[in-house]
Amino acid sequence: MVHLTKEAIEQIEGIWKGVPHVDITAHALERVFEVFPWTTRLFKSFHGHFKANDNGVQEHAKKVAHALDLAVKDITGINHNFEKLSIKHQQLGVDTHNFKLLGQAFLVQLAIAYKTEFTPQKHKYALEFFKMVAEGLSHEYH
Ligand code: HNI
């Protein structure tokens, strides 16, 4: 479990608050699907449409963004709050490494959104957050 300072928590809240949640999530999904094509494997229902504005991606982005919203609101409770989601992803057959890849895709989208305001310090805090999300989603795997 990563230890976060009060400042880190405030920074993460600020970074997430400043971006449109579903939109940035849809673009992070498009990016992860393009850069790491095997991540599309379990999304047969998208019928080969993996762009941010495609229906399947938009609908999925709403669910992922909502989960991230909850994660930001209770950062230290992620492992507990993601228990069911972790079990679900294991049942779906998602390799936990993919959580890190989506985290990387989010970092790029945040950089695009914030441009030079996405300082190395903010990058570091955002990375910590996505590491914790990946850890939470992996927590119940066995
Ligand atoms: Ni993920 C479904 C959250 C990363 C593959 N995923 C969900 C749902 C949420 C969710 C919420 C909906 C659950 C439900 O309906 O009960 N996923 C998250 C979060 C992350 C993440 C917060 C990381 C930030 N998921 C990933 C990754 C993959 C992935 C990296 C695979 C590459 N997720 C899935 C699949 C489903 C899914 C597959 C089922 C989709 C469906 O509806 O058929």
Side-chain angles (χ1 to χ4, degrees), residues 29 32-33 38-40 42-43 45-46 60 63-65 67-68 82 85 88-89 92 94-95 98-100 102-103 106 130 133-134 137:
L29 287 168
V32 85
F33 291 145
W38 61 88
T39 58
T40 62
L42 294 165
F43 295 97
S45 63
F46 292 7
H60 187 59
K63 294 182 204 165
V64 175
L68 291 176
F82 275 5
L85 212 45
K88 168 122 195 175
H89 281 81
L92 286 163
V94 179
D95 186 321
N98 293 324
F99 301 139
K100 296 194 178 127
L102 183 57
F106 264 102
F130 284 106
V133 167
L137 287 172

